[in-house]
Every structure is written in C-alpha cells, then in structure tokens.
Amino acid sequence: MQELRNKYISAIADAADEATLEDVRLAAVGKKGEVSLKMRELGKMNPEERQIAGPALNALKNEINSALVARKVSLADAALEDRLRNEWLDVTLPSRRRGQGSIHPVSQVTEEVTAIFADMGFAVAEGPQVDSDWYNFDALNIPDHHPARAEMDTFYMYRSESDNQPPHVLRTHTSPVQLRSMEKMGAPLRIICPGGVYRADYDQTHTPMFHQVEGLAVDKDISMANLKWALEEFVKAFFEVDEVELRFRASHFPFTEPSAEVDIRCSWAGGQLKVGEGDDWLEILGSGMVHPKVLKAGGIDPNEWQGFAFGMGIDRIAMLKYGIPDLRAFFDSDLRWLHHYGFGSLDQPSLQGGLSR
Ligand code: DAH
C-alpha cells in the first residue's frame, strides 16, 4: 500500500498538465484503477485482514483524491498565470491618430441638426424608406394625378399583376413621417425626422438617394411666429453665427397652408459662403402651417390643434456649411474624399461642446 501511495502521489505531483493528471486519476481511482481493484479484493479477505486493509485503502483513496484536486487547482492557476504573462496588452500605448475611419458629413450634419432641435424640445422620429402611396402622397393632401406626384420623380416599387393594391414607393421626402408620428403620438407633438429619401434625378446637386430632415410641432396655439423663431435659432446655431436674417417667400406645398420657402441672407464674396451678411439669398427649406386635411389624416382634430412643419435637405446644408462642391461625391465611397471631408469619430456634436470643432 505504501508503494501504491508513493507511486501515485509522485505521479500526481509530476503531472505537467490536466490531461496527464486525468490519466493518473484513471490509473489510480478510476473504475479499473489500481486502488479501485484493490478495494474490490476486500471481499475476498477474511474479516481480520479486511478490518485493517479496508480503512487503510479508504484513507489512501481519499489522500489520492485530495492530491488530485489540489494539483488540478494549481495547474489551473499556473495556466492562468501563463496566459496573463503572454496575452498582455499595453494600455499605455498611444492610440492611432483618428483610426482608420471618419464620420461622413451626412452623419455629422444629422447629429448637428438633432443636437440643435433636441435643445428646443424636439424628439427624433423615424419612418420606413419604402412607404405606401397613402403616407407618401394621399395623406399629405397629394391625391392621385396631382402634379406634385409627377414633379417628384418617384421610384415605384413593383407589385405583381394579380395584386390589386396601389404600389409602394421609395419615399420621396421625409414628410410621411409626420403622419406616422401623429398617428403614434397624437397631439401635442414636437419632432424632427431625419433620413434617406429617393428621387430619380442625377446631376451636380442631385442624387437618386439623398437626405432630408422634417420638422413638425403641433400644439394649441402654434403660429408662423413660432416657426420663424425656431428656424432662426436653428440657422444661427447650425452656421455658428450670432445674427441671421431669414426671408419667408410665399410658396405652395399641398401639405401646408400658408406655405413659405425660407432663404437666408448670405454673401458669396470670393467664392466663399458667409451666412448672415451680404446681398445674396440662399434657399434652405420649405415650410408652412400644417394643412387641416393633413392633421385630420393623422388623427388630430384641426379645430383643436394646429402646427408648423418644415423640410430641409441635409446634404444640401452640409455642402453649404462645409464648402463641398459636388453632391455626387457624397456617395462615391472614395477614401480620399472621406478623409478630407470626414469628421473625427470621437467628437459628438453638442451645443455646449461645439457643433463642428
Ligand atoms: N416635403 C417637401 C419636399 O420634399 C419639403 C417640405 C416643404 C416639407 C414644406 C414640409 C413643409 O414639412 O412644410 O420638397
């Protein structure tokens, strides 16, 4: 028994890894292990022998089991030590300057616009880019055969001949999100809806996919004065100037009444855009008081509530603010362009910390 003990205790101590240790365990106390076989022989012994050999074998089995457990723990500790020694990371190494990527001007400007309107109490709402004819047109007071449908160069989504439903469209503007938000949240309501929109058009200032941001405020006593104030605050904050002058030009949109297009005073002296001074005017958005039919389509009683709305091109104001000449380059994925016009990924635009440092 002493021999068995010496053999296995030293084998356990010598086991250099868990697999070897398991082999030792099986050889000693496994079903067909040496110690187990010896215990089976107890039955053949006479009572006197058994009284001595039984407890001794049990003690041996216990000793071997404890040694196995202890060795297993120390092997695991050693393995961990080993990993910690080999798989280390120098957290004091300086990071790569600006990493590999950058924030696209569209994302940057979307964040900027969101930060400014969030400060005025506007929440962000989103809607689907494939939308029904009803949301994109009818609910916005653009019935079938209305000329505005043709003007928008709409992409219609294919439906099978057997399907008698009207076609879906790639939304031509973010205005349908007005309806979805009214339905979901009711009045009062204050939201902006940024996102991608689609029209079949392609030149220096038009791409088939571009971005808009819609604004909508519905309350009991909203007026054009509120619209004017909100837009002035927005333009000042966005272009980072102290004074701006806005010009509201009477216009027509089916979903607003009255409607206005908004220009900002600017100068193009030396080919450089300066907002807030000069003799030029720059159109930046469409707006107006929400048409009663639109409120009604959104489930809001126009006798009780009224609202203003506006829609603005995100890519367009990005081009203006950051002096980017060609819209098409926005979507070319040219790394040189992205590095030149992109923004650092760690600078979150905020009114306190700066919009576009
Ligand atoms: N949906 C219009 C467009 O894409 C923009 C617009 C104009 C939105 C006036 C509005 C608005 O909410 O009141 O051209």
Coordinates of all heavy atoms in Angstrom, one line a residue, residues 140 152 172-176 178 197 199 210 212-216 253 255-256 258-261 285-290 308-312, ligand 1:
L140 N -50.8 63.4 -47.3 CA -50.2 64.7 -47.3 C -50.9 65.6 -48.3 O -50.4 66.6 -48.8 CB -48.7 64.6 -47.7 CG -47.9 64.0 -46.6 CD1 -46.6 63.4 -47.1 CD2 -47.6 65.1 -45.5
M152 N -42.1 64.8 -58.5 CA -41.1 64.2 -57.5 C -40.3 63.1 -58.1 O -39.5 62.5 -57.4 CB -41.9 63.8 -56.3 CG -42.2 64.9 -55.4 SD -42.4 64.4 -53.7 CE -42.9 65.9 -52.9
T172 N -40.3 59.8 -51.2 CA -39.7 60.9 -52.0 C -39.3 62.1 -51.1 O -38.7 63.1 -51.5 CB -40.6 61.5 -53.1 OG1 -41.9 61.9 -52.4 CG2 -41.0 60.4 -54.1
H173 N -39.8 62.0 -49.8 CA -39.5 63.1 -48.8 C -39.7 62.5 -47.4 O -40.2 61.4 -47.3 CB -40.3 64.3 -49.0 CG -41.8 64.1 -49.2 ND1 -42.7 65.1 -49.4 CD2 -42.5 63.0 -49.2 CE1 -43.9 64.6 -49.5 NE2 -43.9 63.3 -49.4
T174 N -39.3 63.2 -46.4 CA -39.5 62.7 -45.0 C -40.9 63.1 -44.5 O -41.2 62.7 -43.4 CB -38.4 63.2 -44.1 OG1 -38.1 64.6 -44.4 CG2 -37.1 62.4 -44.3
S175 N -41.7 63.8 -45.3 CA -43.0 64.3 -44.8 C -43.9 63.1 -44.3 O -44.7 63.3 -43.4 CB -43.7 65.1 -45.8 OG -42.8 66.2 -46.2
P176 N -43.9 61.9 -44.9 CA -44.7 60.9 -44.4 C -44.5 60.5 -43.0 O -45.4 60.1 -42.3 CB -44.4 59.6 -45.3 CG -43.3 60.0 -46.2 CD -43.2 61.5 -46.2
Q178 N -44.3 62.6 -40.7 CA -45.3 63.5 -40.0 C -46.5 62.7 -39.6 O -47.0 62.7 -38.5 CB -45.7 64.7 -40.8 CG -44.7 65.8 -41.0 CD -45.4 67.0 -41.7 OE1 -46.6 67.3 -41.5 NE2 -44.6 67.7 -42.5
V197 N -34.1 59.7 -48.5 CA -35.2 59.8 -49.4 C -34.7 59.6 -50.9 O -33.5 59.6 -51.1 CB -35.9 61.2 -49.3 CG1 -36.4 61.4 -47.9 CG2 -35.0 62.3 -49.7
R199 N -35.3 60.0 -55.3 CA -36.0 60.6 -56.5 C -35.1 60.3 -57.7 O -33.9 60.3 -57.5 CB -36.2 62.1 -56.4 CG -37.2 62.5 -55.3 CD -37.4 64.0 -55.3 NE -37.9 64.4 -54.0 CZ -38.2 65.6 -53.6 NH1 -38.0 66.6 -54.4 NH2 -38.7 65.8 -52.4
F210 N -30.9 60.8 -51.3 CA -30.3 61.9 -50.6 C -31.0 61.9 -49.2 O -31.7 61.0 -48.8 CB -30.4 63.2 -51.3 CG -31.8 63.6 -51.7 CD1 -32.4 64.7 -51.1 CD2 -32.5 63.0 -52.7 CE1 -33.7 65.1 -51.4 CE2 -33.8 63.4 -53.1 CZ -34.4 64.4 -52.4
Q212 N -33.1 64.1 -46.0 CA -33.9 65.3 -45.5 C -34.0 65.2 -44.0 O -33.9 64.2 -43.4 CB -35.3 65.3 -46.2 CG -35.3 65.6 -47.7 CD -36.7 65.8 -48.2 OE1 -37.6 65.2 -47.6 NE2 -36.8 66.5 -49.2
V213 N -34.4 66.4 -43.5 CA -34.9 66.4 -42.1 C -36.2 67.1 -42.1 O -36.3 68.2 -42.7 CB -33.9 66.9 -41.1 CG1 -33.5 68.3 -41.4 CG2 -34.5 66.8 -39.7
E214 N -37.2 66.5 -41.5 CA -38.6 67.1 -41.4 C -38.7 67.6 -40.0 O -38.2 67.0 -39.1 CB -39.6 65.9 -41.7 CG -41.0 66.4 -41.9 CD -41.1 66.8 -43.3 OE1 -40.3 66.6 -44.2 OE2 -42.2 67.4 -43.6
G215 N -39.4 68.7 -39.9 CA -39.8 69.2 -38.5 C -41.3 69.3 -38.4 O -42.0 69.6 -39.4
L216 N -41.8 69.0 -37.2 CA -43.2 69.1 -37.0 C -43.5 69.5 -35.5 O -43.0 68.8 -34.6 CB -43.9 67.8 -37.3 CG -45.4 67.7 -37.0 CD1 -46.3 68.7 -37.9 CD2 -45.9 66.3 -37.1
F253 N -47.1 74.3 -51.0 CA -47.0 72.9 -50.8 C -48.4 72.4 -50.5 O -49.1 73.1 -49.8 CB -46.0 72.6 -49.6 CG -44.6 73.1 -49.8 CD1 -44.2 74.2 -49.2 CD2 -43.7 72.5 -50.7 CE1 -42.9 74.7 -49.3 CE2 -42.4 72.9 -50.9 CZ -42.0 74.1 -50.2
F255 N -49.3 70.2 -48.5 CA -49.5 69.8 -47.1 C -49.4 70.9 -46.1 O -49.5 70.7 -44.9 CB -48.5 68.7 -46.8 CG -47.2 68.7 -47.5 CD1 -46.1 69.5 -47.0 CD2 -47.1 68.1 -48.7 CE1 -44.9 69.5 -47.7 CE2 -45.9 68.1 -49.4 CZ -44.8 68.9 -48.9
T256 N -49.2 72.2 -46.6 CA -49.2 73.3 -45.7 C -50.0 74.4 -46.3 O -50.1 74.6 -47.5 CB -47.7 73.8 -45.5 OG1 -47.0 73.8 -46.7 CG2 -47.0 73.0 -44.5
P258 N -50.8 78.6 -44.7 CA -50.0 79.0 -45.8 C -48.6 78.3 -45.9 O -48.2 77.7 -44.9 CB -49.8 80.5 -45.5 CG -49.8 80.6 -44.0 CD -50.8 79.6 -43.6
S259 N -47.9 78.4 -47.0 CA -46.6 77.8 -47.2 C -45.6 78.9 -47.5 O -45.9 79.9 -48.1 CB -46.7 76.9 -48.4 OG -47.7 75.9 -48.3
A260 N -44.4 78.6 -47.1 CA -43.3 79.5 -47.4 C -42.0 78.8 -47.6 O -41.7 77.7 -47.0 CB -43.1 80.5 -46.2
E261 N -41.2 79.3 -48.6 CA -39.8 78.9 -48.7 C -39.0 79.9 -48.0 O -39.3 81.1 -47.9 CB -39.4 78.8 -50.2 CG -40.0 77.5 -50.8 CD -39.8 77.4 -52.3 OE1 -40.3 78.2 -53.0 OE2 -39.0 76.5 -52.7
L285 N -35.0 75.8 -47.2 CA -36.0 74.9 -46.8 C -37.4 75.3 -47.2 O -37.6 76.4 -47.6 CB -36.0 74.6 -45.3 CG -36.2 75.8 -44.3 CD1 -37.7 76.1 -44.1 CD2 -35.5 75.5 -43.0
G286 N -38.3 74.3 -47.1 CA -39.8 74.6 -47.3 C -40.5 74.5 -46.0 O -40.1 73.6 -45.2
S287 N -41.5 75.2 -45.8 CA -42.2 75.2 -44.5 C -43.6 75.7 -44.6 O -44.1 76.1 -45.7 CB -41.4 76.1 -43.5 OG -41.5 77.4 -44.0
G288 N -44.3 75.7 -43.5 CA -45.7 76.3 -43.5 C -46.5 75.8 -42.3 O -46.0 75.1 -41.5
M289 N -47.8 76.2 -42.3 CA -48.7 75.7 -41.2 C -49.3 74.4 -41.8 O -49.8 74.4 -42.9 CB -49.7 76.8 -40.9 CG -49.2 78.1 -40.4 SD -48.2 77.9 -38.9 CE -49.5 77.3 -37.7
V290 N -49.3 73.4 -41.0 CA -49.8 72.1 -41.4 C -51.2 72.2 -41.9 O -52.1 72.8 -41.2 CB -49.7 71.1 -40.3 CG1 -50.2 69.7 -40.7 CG2 -48.3 71.0 -39.7
F308 N -46.8 73.8 -37.1 CA -46.0 74.1 -38.3 C -45.1 72.9 -38.7 O -45.0 72.0 -37.9 CB -45.1 75.4 -38.0 CG -44.0 75.2 -37.0 CD1 -42.9 74.4 -37.2 CD2 -44.0 75.9 -35.7 CE1 -41.9 74.2 -36.3 CE2 -43.0 75.7 -34.8 CZ -41.9 74.9 -35.1
A309 N -44.7 73.0 -39.9 CA -43.8 71.9 -40.4 C -42.8 72.5 -41.3 O -43.0 73.6 -41.9 CB -44.6 70.9 -41.2
F310 N -41.7 71.8 -41.4 CA -40.7 72.2 -42.4 C -39.9 71.0 -42.9 O -39.9 70.0 -42.3 CB -39.7 73.3 -41.8 CG -38.9 72.8 -40.6 CD1 -37.7 72.1 -40.8 CD2 -39.4 73.0 -39.4 CE1 -37.0 71.6 -39.7 CE2 -38.7 72.5 -38.3 CZ -37.5 71.8 -38.4
G311 N -39.3 71.2 -44.1 CA -38.5 70.1 -44.6 C -37.2 70.7 -45.3 O -37.3 71.7 -46.0
M312 N -36.1 70.1 -45.0 CA -34.8 70.6 -45.4 C -33.9 69.5 -45.9 O -34.0 68.4 -45.4 CB -34.3 71.2 -44.1 CG -33.0 72.0 -44.2 SD -32.8 73.1 -42.7 CE -33.0 71.9 -41.3
Ligands
DAH1 N1 -41.6 67.6 -48.5 C1 -41.1 68.8 -49.1 C2 -40.1 68.4 -50.2 O1 -39.6 67.3 -50.2 C3 -40.4 69.7 -48.2 C4 -41.3 70.4 -47.2 C5 -41.9 71.6 -47.5 C6 -41.6 69.8 -46.0 C7 -42.8 72.2 -46.7 C8 -42.5 70.4 -45.1 C9 -43.1 71.6 -45.5 O2 -42.8 69.8 -44.0 O3 -43.9 72.2 -44.6 O4 -39.8 69.1 -51.1

